[in-house]
């Protein structure tokens, strides 16, 4: 229905076709670019995954060869470390005194001087003792009607006793764990003196 006095509506089809063609060209180029970018991403990700697989396979093959040549079971080593014994032979003492690690085993000659226990035994001991003391404190507070001074005296004594008992054993665990996993120089068997060599040196020094 035409409106009286209004100019006739003219649609610029040519310009509209140009805009539609330009939009189609942009959409096709964008789709092609996205597809190319996705292909590059897949190729790059595949190369990274393949490199990681090759590195992991090489590492596991190397570690399996090492373990086949000289097996160090972690469980047995940790048990010896908990008893503060040499993780290698289980006969010598790992610690000298209360907390000092020996430079080497007095029986098999395994070197311990390059261990890196550092602050790990103290940190782990505090975590263990804290997680044991906290529920005991809560249970005692709810079950018994102790005076405040009894709590103030009992729990520090119990905590200090637990720390004194566990600290050298936890340090033995840390050193034994490092030995079992060949960390911080424990994989270098060339630095380990043989028992016969140690006996020869003692004999020559005695002569």
């Amino acid at each position: 229905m035409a409106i009286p006095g209004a100019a006739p509506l003219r649609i610029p089809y040519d310009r509209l076709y140009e805009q539609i063609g330009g939009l189609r060209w942009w959409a096709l180029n964008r789709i092609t670019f996205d597809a190319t970018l996705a292909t590059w991403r897949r190729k790059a990700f595949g190369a990274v995954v393949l490199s990681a697989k090759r590195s992991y396979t090489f590492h596991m093959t190397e570690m399996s060869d090492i373990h086949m040549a000289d097996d160090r079971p972690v469980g047995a080593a940790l048990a010896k470390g908990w008893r503060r014994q040499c993780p290698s032979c289980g006969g010598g003492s790992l610690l000298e005194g209360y907390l000092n690690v020996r430079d080497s085993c007095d029986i098999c000659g395994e070197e311990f001087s390059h261990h890196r226990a550092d602050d790990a035994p103290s940190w782990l001991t505090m975590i263990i003792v804290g997680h044991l003391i906290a529920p005991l404190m809560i249970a005692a507070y709810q079950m018994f009607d102790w005076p405040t001074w009894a709590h103030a005296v009992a729990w520090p004594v119990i905590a200090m006793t637990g720390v004194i008992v566990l600290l050298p054993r936890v340090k033995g665990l840390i050193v034994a764990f490092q030995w079992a996993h060949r960390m911080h120089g424990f994989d270098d068997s060339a630095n380990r003196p043989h028992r016969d060599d140690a006996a020869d040196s003692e004999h020559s020094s005695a002569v």
Side-chain angles (χ1 to χ4, degrees), residues 26-139:
W26 178 85
L28 290 175
N29 286 340
R30 182 57 186 268
I31 293 173
T32 305
F33 174 76
D34 291 343
T36 305
L37 184 61
T39 304
W40 289 348
R41 287 177 178 175
R42 286 196 298 268
K43 289 182 178 180
F45 181 74
V48 172
V49 172
L50 182 60
S51 177
K53 285 183 178 180
R54 289 177 178 176
S55 177
Y56 177 77
T57 304
F58 175 77
H59 175 72
M60 293 303 297
T61 304
E62 185 180 8
M63 291 303 297
S64 63
D65 294 340
I66 294 175
H67 284 283
M68 289 178 61
D70 185 14
D71 190 18
R72 295 183 181 182
V74 179
L78 293 180
K80 296 172 185 176
W82 176 260
R83 296 193 299 266
R84 293 166 293 175
Q85 296 176 347
C86 172
S88 179
C89 66
S93 177
L94 178 62
L95 300 181
E96 185 176 7
Y98 175 67
L99 208 59
N100 293 328
V101 180
R102 292 178 175 270
D103 292 336
S104 61
C105 178
D106 54 352
I107 294 181
C108 68
E110 180 71 37
E111 287 285 342
F112 301 127
S113 59
H114 41 253
H115 79 90
R116 291 297 303 274
D118 298 335
D119 295 333
S122 303
W123 171 78
L124 189 57
T125 301
M126 287 189 296
I127 290 180
I128 295 174
V129 173
H131 282 76
L132 292 177
I133 292 295
L136 293 178
M137 292 176 62
I138 297 173

Side-chain angles (χ1 to χ4, degrees), residues 132-133 135-138 140-141 146 150-160:
L132 292 177
I133 292 295
L136 293 178
M137 292 176 62
I138 297 173
Y141 182 78
W146 289 359
H151 288 280
V153 171
W155 298 116
V157 173
I158 295 175
M160 289 300 299

Side-chain angles (χ1 to χ4, degrees), residues 158-192:
I158 295 175
M160 289 300 299
T161 303
V163 169
I164 292 173
V165 172
L166 288 179
L167 185 56
R169 299 182 181 274
V170 173
K171 189 166 188 176
L173 286 177
I174 298 297
V175 177
F177 181 84
Q178 294 178 358
W179 175 86
H181 288 274
R182 295 173 171 85
M183 301 167 60
H184 309 303
F186 280 114
D187 58 340
D188 189 5
S189 59
N191 295 329
R192 176 179 172 181

